[in-house]
Amino acid sequence: MKWTFFHKLGSPKWFYEISGRWLPILGWAAVLLILAGTVWGLVFAPQDYQQGNSFRIIYIHVPAAFLAQSGYLLLAIAGVVSLVWKMKLADIALKCAAPVGAWMTFIALVTGSIWGKPTWGTWWVWDARLTSMLILLFLYFGIIALGQAISNRDSSAKACAVLAIVGVINLPIIKYSVEWWNTLHQPATFTLTEKPAMPAQMWLPLLVMVVGFYCFFGAVVLMRMRLEVLRRESRTSWVRTLVEQSIGRGGSA
Amino acid sequence: MTFHSIGEFLAMGHHGPYVWSAYGITALVLILNIVMPRLARRRYLQSEARRLRREMNA
């Protein structure tokens, strides 16, 4: 196996160039998939025989909850890479993905709460799934605050990586919370091993939305990472050249 | 097509306020997440350009 790609990943300039090519693809895929999934889910999907039309919230609630957890997993993996190999790009990924993951957790919690009112008759219960998702949001806040509080870059990278890795224990708790405890929250809609219990007209738009949200997450994290790379490399000649070029184009490079 | 009219679509079978507020908040958050990094990038490039010009004149 060739390890050159791994070393290249450590090069901010290489990352900046390659991510510049990926960003428009991811961004447009996200826009198209989310628009298509929303129209499909809101207009064409049949209504649920028990929940009526409030079930349509699933098309944003489930993708956001997926990304809230996948985003945290990304933080933990980046944390391991940043601790073991001292790769600066991993620290940048960790710092830039944290706020986006927090926003996804926020969406999952808010839409879940709005969905809970007509379905369970309450906005919030201290149930295992809901509580562990709230803890996930606080873990994100903790990492963001820690990163901002420590000004030394190396100590900040180390502290955030450790917190991200320790907090990963919350992910299996979220996943199995609906099985370990009696909860109001329904069990997973999607599993890898079984066919979904809902008709294709209902789960296909959900699949489109999930993929769209993944693309969205990727695009936004890349945008944030690219800016952070520029900030950290501001003294290098390639960033200077890029800034000089952007003056001519009105700063839109 | 599940709905027979625009009014029916907007009402969402008495669940309109829930469905539309959930989608509205989500749309707002997603748009914010696109706009904020773009603005930050523009601000950064402008301030860096100013700094470079100062250094060239100095």
Side-chain angles (χ1 to χ4, degrees):
Chain A
M1 186 174 170
K2 275 195 181 169
W3 282 93
T4 44
F5 89 98
F6 199 67
H7 294 294
K8 271 188 187 164
L9 266 180
S11 152
K13 185 169 185 279
W14 179 84
F15 166 80
Y16 193 87
E17 280 163 6
I18 202 84
S19 63
R21 260 176 274 161
W22 276 90
L23 191 55
I25 304 173
L26 271 178
W28 283 111
V31 169
L32 292 177
L33 286 169
I34 289 176
L35 282 181
T38 303
V39 172
W40 197 351
L42 279 178
V43 183
F44 295 100
Q47 62 177 35
D48 186 75
Y49 76 103
Q50 271 183 327
Q51 298 184 9
N53 284 309
S54 68
F55 109 96
R56 292 179 200 281
I57 296 174
I58 200 174
Y59 298 116
I60 42 181
H61 176 73
V62 168
F66 269 31
L67 261 303
Q69 296 168 73
S70 301
Y72 198 86
L73 191 63
L74 173 74
L75 256 57
I77 294 171
V80 171
V81 175
S82 137
L83 274 188
V84 175
W85 288 287
K86 307 268 178 286
M87 192 185 277
K88 290 194 176 67
L89 207 54
D91 176 50
I92 295 178
L94 200 160
K95 298 262 164 64
C96 294
V100 191
W103 275 118
M104 289 295 162
T105 317
F106 172 80
I107 294 180
L109 283 169
V110 168
T111 56
S113 175
I114 294 172
W115 195 3
K117 187 63 185 165
T119 314
W120 303 334
T122 175
W123 299 102
W124 183 265
V125 278
W126 290 100
D127 136 316
R129 173 57 72 84
L130 280 68
T131 309
S132 53
M133 277 303 276
L134 191 63
I135 292 173
L136 182 70
L137 184 64
F138 290 149
L139 277 170
Y140 274 124
F141 286 165
I143 291 170
I144 297 168
L146 197 59
Q148 288 175 348
I150 307 175
S151 53
N152 180 291
R153 199 164 277 163
D154 289 338
S155 344
S156 152
K158 215 175 267 179
C160 289
V162 170
L163 181 55
I165 294 166
V166 172
V168 94
I169 187 75
N170 193 33
L171 289 185
I173 296 180
I174 295 174
K175 174 153 174 41
Y176 293 108
S177 57
V178 284
E179 294 170 23
W180 291 343
W181 292 282
N182 278 319
T183 66
L184 270 180
H185 197 284
Q186 60 196 25
T189 312
F190 276 156
T191 53
L192 285 176
T193 46
E194 283 167 53
K195 249 186 112 200
M198 35 165 87
Q201 268 298 313
M202 274 183 174
W203 65 257
L204 272 176
L206 185 52
L207 195 66
V208 171
M209 282 301 257
V210 168
V211 178
F213 266 64
Y214 268 97
C215 293
F216 178 86
F217 186 88
V220 174
V221 171
L222 278 188
M223 279 201 304
R224 285 172 172 267
M225 283 180 74
R226 284 162 62 78
L227 177 57
E228 186 61 24
V229 164
L230 288 188
R231 285 215 167 101
R232 294 193 185 190
E233 302 288 311
S234 61
R235 299 281 159 189
T236 60
S237 61
W238 70 269
V239 173
R240 277 164 181 261
T241 319
L242 197 132
V243 171
E244 277 160 14
Q245 283 169 353
S246 82
I247 302 174
R249 277 180 280 168
S252 63
Chain B
M1 191 77 80
T2 323
F3 303 98
H4 301 292
S5 68
I6 296 281
E8 212 177 281
F9 173 64
L10 291 177
M12 282 283 161
H14 306 301
H15 286 140
Y18 303 110
V19 173
W20 295 119
S21 62
Y23 274 85
I25 292 167
T26 304
L28 197 72
V29 170
L30 294 189
I31 291 168
L32 261 181
N33 266 289
I34 301 172
V35 171
M36 283 192 309
R38 290 183 77 104
L39 280 181
R41 183 188 171 84
R42 187 176 303 166
R43 269 200 306 272
Y44 171 80
L45 285 175
Q46 280 166 353
S47 74
E48 274 300 289
R50 265 198 301 276
R51 189 177 67 86
L52 278 186
R53 248 174 275 156
R54 261 201 314 275
E55 279 176 16
M56 272 186 270
N57 292 337

